[in-house]
Structures are given as C-alpha cells and as structure tokens.
Amino acid sequence: MTIIVTGGAGFIGSNFIFYQLKHHPEDRIVCLDNLTYAGNLSTLASVMDRPNFRFVKADICDREAVNRLFDEEKPEIIVNFAAESHVDRSIEDPGVFLRTNILGTQVLMDACRKYGIGRYHQVSTDEVYGDLPLDRPDLFFTEETPIHTSSPYSASKASADLLVLAYHRTFGLPVTISRCSNNYGPYHFPEKLIPLMIANCLNDKPLPVYGKGENVRDWLYVEDHCKAIDLIIRKGRVGEVYNIGGHNEMKNIDIVKLICKALDKPESLITYVTDRKGHDMRYAIDPTKIHNELGWLPETKFADGIKKTIQWYLDNRDWWEEIISGEYQNYYEKMYANR
Ligand code: NAD
Ligand code: TYD
C-alpha cells in the first residue's frame, strides 16, 4: 500500500520514514514536505533513490498540489507530521502556526474525503493538555484530560485535533490521533533543548536555561514514537486518541548538566536566561491505553538513548553545522542576544 507522510523532511517524520522503509519494505512511502527552515532534504539522502520512496515538495495548505498528489498516488494511509513545531517561534509569530497546523490539516482531510482513504493519522502532542503542577507527581495526562492549551503552538495543535475528531463524527473519516511527549534522537533541529545544548557545548558557547531550569519534560526516544504510530495506523481503533510516553520525566537543568558531563564540558557554561512566556511547568503522559490495546512499550532507556543521540551529533557535525551557520544564525541572535 501507499502511505503519504507529510513533514517527512523534519525530525520525527524522517525517523518515521526510515522506520517504515526498514520494517515494511513492501509499502510505498511518499513524503510531502515544503522544506521550511525545519525541513532538510539532506536528512532523506540515504533513501532518496529507493524505488518505493518518492519525495514531493509541496505545502500542505496548497489544495491543488495536495489533490494532485492524492490523484496520482491513491494513498491508503496519510500520516500528518507537517507542522510548525517550536513553541518559542509561536510566541514570536503565531500566524504561520495557525495556517499550517490548522488549515493544512483541513486541506489534507478534505483530500481524504474527496479521494477516499483507509486512515488519516494526526500526529499531535501532549502539549494540548496544558501543564501539570510540580508538586503533584501523582498526576498524569490521560486521553480524557481536558484540552487546556498555553502557547499559540499548543492551541494550534489542539484546534487541529478538534477538527480531526469533527471530520470523523460528521463525515465518518477514518481518523486516529496520537499525543506524544517530548522526543529526542537523531536529526532533531538544533533550536530544541537537547540538540541546542549539545551543539553549544561542542562549540563552547553559553547554555541558555530558561527560568530556573526546573520545568519537567517526559522524554521519549524518537524511534519508540515511530513504533507507536506504526502500531496505531495498522491496528489502532478508528476515532480514537492514543497518548504516547515512556514515564521518563526530567528537569531541564538535569538534562543540561548531563550533557555537559557526557561531553566533558564545565557546568560554568550554563547561563540562566529570561523565562519563556507562559512556560508550561510539567508534562507527564499516562500511556496505559496504548499499552493495553496495542501492546506498545518504549524500548530505549533514557541513559542509552541520550548516549546514542550525543554520539550521533558527534558523528554528524556536517548536518547540524550547516544548519547553524545559515539562516538559523539570525534566529539565534534574535531570540538569545538580549535574553
Ligand atoms: P519539525 O519542525 O522538525 O519538522 C516539521 C516538518 O514539517 C519540516 O520538515 C517542515 O519542512 C514541514 N512543514 C512545515 N510546514 C509545512 C507545510 N505547510 N507543508 C508541508 N510541510 C511543512 O517537527 P517535528 O519535531 O518532527 O514534529 C513533527 C510533528 O510531531 C509535529 O506535528 C509536532 O507537533 C509533533 N510532535 C513533536 C514532538 C517533539 O518532541 N518534537 C512531540 C510530540 C509531537
Ligand atoms: P523545547 O525543546 O523547545 O520543547 P517544548 O517547549 O516543546 O517542551 O524545550 C524543552 C524545555 O527546555 C522547555 O521547558 C523549554 C526549555 N528550554 C531552555 O531552557 N532553553 C532553551 O534554549 C530551549 C530551546 C528550551
């Protein structure tokens, strides 16, 4: 069968493409990505020549281009990773988040209705649930936790989720949604916490920790996320939401110190900077449903995953050095110069 993967030149989408080509070589993968600042064609270089892989550069908001692709490929499954994904950018400029994350989702689902598909899967985030207090370690996000967003990013993702569920109820579109916690691993864009700290450490640059660094995130190795989505699109129940997370909560400051230690850099590089506006305190996923229904469990322990990730950034300096030497440099100056 043919699977369209949108946003496949980004962090998780590319890892998902590698996972599919490895575990389901009988399927055809078509990547639809318009290569924003976060999309990188070099990430897909190793699969570009595969006969069962095709890359198409197009915007998910471009109805004509999306319809043309559906007409050509007659896909069975759509997995929508394409999004603006960085909270800090959404605080600077929310508009493009609403356009891509909400209207782009609508365009894709309209094409699904027009051409008919077996499954539309929306890759969402635990951030749609808002945050949890630090002094209630007994609380976790379940699929029933009310939507309660904090940033323009999370509000745009939550809006898309509501639209996906509405298309299921109103038009009978066969949809699923997954809401995952923070991912880490290879090809993670160096504006996000873990790759940014690794890159800055390697360049002996200050490590900008927001606020006191006490915010907690629930980290999952990217391949475990890909495996969960693979299970959901093939065996998950239509109309359902599945939370994905591996019970691996860590404070930001502890992650940064761990990276310093692993790279043998002094903690004096750590610089506390102005906090993010509306900064969510704690995310923590209860993954009971996906475990009970689909047998999913994370396979990579954080200690192993972070070691592999740091090694990947050491072995693939060209990949991230090219990014941080280009247009991204202007973003970095703007965001961190006077912070
Ligand atoms: P990313 O920013 O690394 O990649 C996004 C990709 O989407 C890029 O390749 C970009 O070119 C593409 N894209 C953006 N706008 C597009 C458009 N209009 N048309 C076509 N392509 C477009 O993001 P990521 O971290 O890989 O996240 C992928 C998905 O997973 C997002 O939907 C995000 O909300 C969700 N998610 C991410 C995390 C995480 O920790 N990174 C956790 C949970 C959920
Ligand atoms: P991020 O990787 O942007 O993911 P998200 O905001 O989606 O969870 O940030 C992870 C955490 O790290 C978050 O609490 C903000 C914090 N952070 C810093 O302290 N410094 C930084 O330079 C960045 C990018 C993030």
Side-chain angles (χ1 to χ4, degrees), residues 198 258-259 262-263 305-314:
I198 296 172
L258 186 153
I259 292 170
L263 290 170
I306 195 74
K307 222 186 268 174
K308 274 203 270 188
T309 303
I310 291 173
Q311 193 58 48
W312 188 89
Y313 280 86
L314 284 167

Side-chain angles (χ1 to χ4, degrees), residues 4 66 107 172 198 251 305 308:
I4 291 185
V66 167
V107 168
I198 296 172
K251 282 186 190 168
K308 274 203 270 188

Side-chain angles (χ1 to χ4, degrees), residues 7-13 32-40 58-61 80-85 99-100 123-125 153 157 180-183 188-189 192 225:
F11 167 43
I12 310 175
L32 171 68
D33 196 304
N34 71 340
L35 301 178
T36 66
Y37 78 93
N40 200 332
D59 187 332
I60 58 165
C61 302
N80 182 25
F81 290 94
E84 289 294 332
S85 68
R99 177 182 179 274
T100 293
V123 180
S124 185
T125 163
Y153 163 68
K157 294 296 289 184
C180 190
S181 59
N182 287 61
N183 285 214
H188 202 178
F189 195 86
K192 305 282 171 66
H225 185 188

Side-chain angles (χ1 to χ4, degrees), residues 240-299:
E240 293 293 316
V241 174
Y242 293 91
N243 281 355
I244 309 171
H247 282 302
N248 181 61
E249 291 177 50
M250 293 187 68
K251 282 186 190 168
N252 294 341
I253 188 66
D254 292 337
I255 300 245
V256 177
K257 286 182 177 170
L258 186 153
I259 292 170
C260 287
K261 193 155 178 237
L263 290 170
D264 202 19
K265 298 289 179 180
E267 285 183 11
S268 57
L269 284 176
I270 295 173
T271 314
Y272 293 93
V273 300
T274 311
D275 209 350
R276 173 186 279 171
K277 290 189 182 107
H279 198 172
D280 281 337
M281 277 324 292
R282 171 178 169 247
Y283 301 145
I285 281 276
D286 176 353
T288 306
K289 178 173 172 180
I290 188 167
H291 175 63
N292 288 348
E293 279 191 23
L294 304 177
W296 178 85
L297 274 179
E299 284 171 18

Side-chain angles (χ1 to χ4, degrees), residues 86 127 182 191-193 208-210 217 252 276 279 336:
H86 191 37
E127 300 193 27
N182 287 61
E191 68 185 346
K192 305 282 171 66
L193 180 76
V209 171
Y210 298 169
R217 297 292 182 264
N252 294 341
R276 173 186 279 171
H279 198 172
Y336 293 94

Side-chain angles (χ1 to χ4, degrees), residues 309-326:
T309 303
I310 291 173
Q311 193 58 48
W312 188 89
Y313 280 86
L314 284 167
D315 295 343
N316 292 276
R317 279 191 94 118
D318 289 357
W319 184 86
W320 57 268
E321 274 180 346
E322 197 180 309
I323 291 170
I324 62 178
S325 65

Side-chain angles (χ1 to χ4, degrees), residues 54-69:
R54 178 183 175 200
F55 178 83
V56 176
K57 183 178 182 309
D59 187 332
I60 58 165
C61 302
D62 181 344
R63 204 172 275 279
E64 222 171 275
V66 167
N67 285 348
R68 201 179 318 122
L69 187 65

